C-alpha cells in the first residue's frame, strides 16, 4: 500500500533517528513505503531542512545508485550553552560535596534526559571523525559512555579493575593513579574490542587522569588509536597526567575562600565550536 | 514564523520520541510552531496513526484545556519475536561458553542497536504501569537497565558490592548468593532512590536469583515496591530463589548430551503478549 507523505515523514524521522550515522538507501525507503524514489528524495529534503533548522543534526545525502541518506546527530551551540549552564547549576550544590572533596554525581548520571543531551553534545565534537568504539571504566563511567555510543551508533566497552569469570580472556595493563601514586591494574575482555580500533575514551570524572591514561595504554595494547577523551566533569588537580581532553564541567571543592564547591563550565564549548567559527 | 505541516510532523516526531511517557501540551506545540491548536491536533492524529501502524508505540491524547499528548513506546509481537530469535541465534554460539559454564554476553550488551530493542521490549511489559526507577547491580546490569530506563524515561540506580567514596551515605543489605550459598553485601547510595519508589529490577543474567533477591530486599529498605523483574538471560539453576521474573533468553550450558550450549527463548513473549490476547 502506497504511503501518504505525512505518514512517511513521521516514520522516516523515527527510522533515521534510531540509526545515527547509518547509510539508508533510497531503495530501502522506496520499498518500505511503496513509493517512487523521487518522492523519497523530496521527503529527505524536508527531513534535512527540519533537522537543520531545529539543530537536531545533519542529514547527509549520498548521490548515485548506491546512494541514500545518513543522519548525524549534533547539538547547536545555543542548546549546548543552555544545557551546560543547567547541569552547572545542578552540580554547584554544596550538599553534593562528600568527605575528601569528592562530589556526588550518580543521580545526574542516572537520568536519561541528561545522558541523552550529554551524549549528543560529546558526539558533536566528533561529527567528522570515524570512531569504532567508546571505552570507559567501570562502574560510574558506563552511563555516559553508553549515551555517547548511542549517538555515534558504535559499541562501547567497559574496562574493569576486577574482571569477572564472565569476561573470558582479558588483556590487562598496570597504571599509576595520579592522586595516590599507587600502581593499579585494569583489564578488558580480549573479545570486546577489535584490534586496530579507533577509540573514544569517556569517563564521568577526571582528577589527575590516571584512569584515563590507563585506558589509553590499554587501547595501544589492542593496536588501536585514541581519537579523543571526554569527561563529564574534571576536578582540580595539582598534577595532571594528560592535557588533551574535553570536559563539560570543571568542579572545584574545598576552596581557599572557604566555599565548599565552585562549578564552572569545562573546556567543551571552546573545543567544539571553535572549529565552526 | 508559521511552520509547514511537513516540518512540524518531523520535529514533533523527534520531540516526542525523545521524551517517552511525558505529557506535552497542545499549547506548547502551538507556540513552538506558531500554529493553531486545531492544526496541532490534526498533526497528532497523523503521528498516532503512523506510530500505531508501524508498531512504534501508543500516542495517548489527553483532552481538555490542560490536555496534550504522551508517547508510550512499545514493541509489537512480530517485531519482538524477530528480535528474540536474532539474539537467540547470536548467543547460541559455543565460543561464548567460558570455564564454569558462564556465557560471554558483554559484546551484545555493549551494542546500542540491541540495547535499544531490548529496552523497548522490556518496557512493553510495563506499558500500563507507573514506574519511578529502574534498579540494577554493577557492573554488567547497567547497560540494559539504562536502555530500559530510557524507554520508560525514569532514572536508573546502580547497586554495588563496594560502594565508593563518591556515593556518599549508603543503605546496605546482606543477601545469600544462590549458587555458592555465601552471604554477600550490596549497597545503594541513600540519595539515589526516593523513599516509597515503584521499582523495576533489571539485570543481565540470572542463575539462582540471589542478586535479584538482594535488590528486592534493598527496595523494601527504601519502603519501595518491586513492580517487576526482568533479565536479558536466565541460566539453568537447581535452586531458584524467586519465581516471578521475565527473561528474554534461556541459556543452558554443559548439557547432558554433550552439547556445549543451548539457547531458547525466555518466558518474555508469553508474559507480555498473553495479556493482549
Amino acid at each position: 500500500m502506497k504511503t501518504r507523505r505525512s505518514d512517511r515523514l513521521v516514520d522516516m524521522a523515527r527510522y533515521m533517528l534510531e540509526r545515527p550515522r547509518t547509510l539508508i538507501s533510497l531503495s530501502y525507503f522506496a520499498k518500505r513505503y511503496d513509493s517512487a524514489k523521487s518522492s523519497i528524495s523530496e521527503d529527505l529534503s524536508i527531513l534535512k531542512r527540519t533537522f537543520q533548522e531545529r539543530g537536531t543534526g545533519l542529514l547527509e545525502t549520498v548521490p548515485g545508485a548506491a546512494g541514500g541518506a545518513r543522519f548525524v546527530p549534533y547539538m547547536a551551540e545555543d542548546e549546548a550553552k543552555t544545557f551546560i549552564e543547567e547541569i552547572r547549576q545542578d552540580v554547584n550544590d554544596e550538599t553534593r560535596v562528600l568527605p575528601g572533596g569528592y562530589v556526588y554525581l550518580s543521580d545526574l548520571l542516572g537520568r536519561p534526559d541528561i545522558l541523552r543531551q550529554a551524549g549528543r553534545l560529546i558526539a558533536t565534537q566528533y561529527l567528522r571523525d570515524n570512531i569504532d568504539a567508546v571505552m570507559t571504566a567501570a562502574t560510574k563511567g558506563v552511563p555516559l559512555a553508553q549515551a555517547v555510543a548511542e549517538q555515534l551508533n558504535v559499541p562501547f566497552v567497559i574496562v574493569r579493575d576486577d574482571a569477572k569469570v564472565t569476561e573470558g580472556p582479558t588483556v590487562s595493563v598496570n597504571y599509576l593513579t595520579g592522586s595516590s601514586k599507587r600502581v593499579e591494574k585494569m583489564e578488558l575482555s580480549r573479545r570486546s574490542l577489535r584490534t586496530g580500533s579507533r577509540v573514544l575514551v569517556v569517563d564521568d570524572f577526571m582528577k589527575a587522569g590516571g584512569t584515563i591514561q590507563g585506558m589509553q595504554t590499554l587501547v595501544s595494547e589492542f593496536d588501536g588509536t585514541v581519537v579523543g577523551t571526554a569527561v563529564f566533569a574534571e576536578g582540580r588537580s595539582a598534577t595532571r597526567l594528560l592535557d588533551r581532553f574535553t570536559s563539560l564541567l570543571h568542579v572545584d571543592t574545598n576552596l581557599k575562600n572557604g566555599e565548599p564547591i565552585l562549578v564552572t563550565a569545562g573546556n567543551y564549548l571552546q573545543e567544539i565550536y571553535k572549529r565552526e567559527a
Side-chain angles (χ1 to χ4, degrees), chain A residues 106 109 134-146 156-164 167 175 184-189 201-205 211-212 214-215 218:
Chain A
S106 300
L109 296 173
V134 173
M135 175 183 283
T136 195
T139 298
K140 291 208 308 298
V142 178
L144 185 61
Q146 181 167 345
F156 58 96
V157 301
I158 304 172
V159 173
R160 306 179 59 134
D161 53 9
D162 61 337
K164 297 285 164 80
E167 293 299 317
Y175 68 101
E184 304 266 6
K185 188 171 121 170
M186 55 166 69
E187 312 183 62
L188 181 63
S189 164
V201 175
V202 170
D203 212 349
D204 60 325
F205 200 87
T211 309
I212 286 169
M215 287 194 270
L218 204 42

Side-chain angles (χ1 to χ4, degrees), chain A residues 4-266:
Chain A
R4 275 170 280 204
R5 161 146 296 151
S6 51
D7 295 42
R8 282 203 308 266
L9 286 172
V10 170
D11 191 62
M12 283 170 84
R14 178 192 65 82
Y15 193 90
M16 301 204 77
L17 287 165
E18 284 185 356
R19 291 163 183 79
R21 295 187 175 219
T22 306
L23 184 70
I24 320 284
S25 71
L26 275 187
S27 320
Y28 175 80
F29 279 138
K31 195 175 163 202
R32 183 175 174 96
Y33 306 119
D34 191 18
S35 303
K37 286 193 186 176
S38 55
S39 308
I40 300 294
S41 283
E42 287 167 34
D43 297 340
L44 289 171
S45 312
I46 296 169
L47 285 166
K48 183 173 186 155
R49 184 178 66 213
T50 307
F51 286 156
Q52 192 173 336
E53 280 173 3
R54 298 281 168 185
T56 307
L58 297 172
L59 195 97
E60 298 174 343
T61 44
V62 178
R70 182 189 289 119
F71 170 68
V72 187
Y74 69 74
M75 188 180 279
E77 191 168 2
D78 280 357
E79 190 181 348
K81 281 183 178 161
T82 306
F83 171 63
I84 286 184
E85 177 54 19
E86 279 170 11
I87 54 174
R88 191 196 68 74
Q89 289 181 21
D90 226 335
V91 176
N92 199 21
D93 166 359
E94 59 182 271
T95 72
R96 292 189 177 275
V97 181
L98 300 168
Y102 292 97
V103 178
Y104 180 76
L105 294 173
S106 300
D107 58 333
L108 301 177
L109 296 173
R111 276 175 50 186
D113 56 335
I114 288 182
L115 290 169
R116 191 180 294 123
Q117 285 179 284
R120 193 148 69 90
L121 180 51
I122 291 174
T124 302
Q125 189 177 7
Y126 303 97
L127 203 57
R128 302 292 179 192
D129 292 298
N130 285 321
I131 292 171
D132 299 313
V134 173
M135 175 183 283
T136 195
T139 298
K140 291 208 308 298
V142 178
L144 185 61
Q146 181 167 345
V148 174
E150 278 174 39
Q151 298 290 327
L152 298 173
N153 207 15
V154 299
F156 58 96
V157 301
I158 304 172
V159 173
R160 306 179 59 134
D161 53 9
D162 61 337
K164 297 285 164 80
V165 286
T166 49
E167 293 299 317
T170 62
V171 173
S172 76
V173 298
N174 294 310
Y175 68 101
L176 200 65
T177 65
S179 19
S180 60
K181 302 281 182 207
R182 274 175 297 122
V183 175
E184 304 266 6
K185 188 171 121 170
M186 55 166 69
E187 312 183 62
L188 181 63
S189 164
R190 178 79 249 176
R191 191 167 166 156
S192 66
L193 186 65
R194 198 164 303 177
T195 303
S197 291
R198 293 175 53 82
V199 177
L200 174 61
V201 175
V202 170
D203 212 349
D204 60 325
F205 200 87
M206 182 181 86
K207 288 185 94 166
T211 309
I212 286 169
Q213 208 175 44
M215 287 194 270
Q216 293 178 339
T217 310
L218 204 42
V219 170
S220 61
E221 282 303 314
F222 281 80
D223 295 327
T225 308
V226 176
V227 180
T229 299
V231 298
F232 187 77
E234 56 170 310
R236 182 181 45 178
S237 180
T239 49
R240 183 134 285 166
L241 301 170
L242 66 160
D243 54 0
R244 286 189 55 243
F245 67 91
T246 39
S247 61
L248 304 190
L249 298 176
H250 186 286
V251 177
D252 212 344
T253 51
N254 300 327
L255 286 89
K256 281 185 186 149
N257 65 8
E259 288 295 317
I261 188 167
L262 175 67
V263 183
T264 51

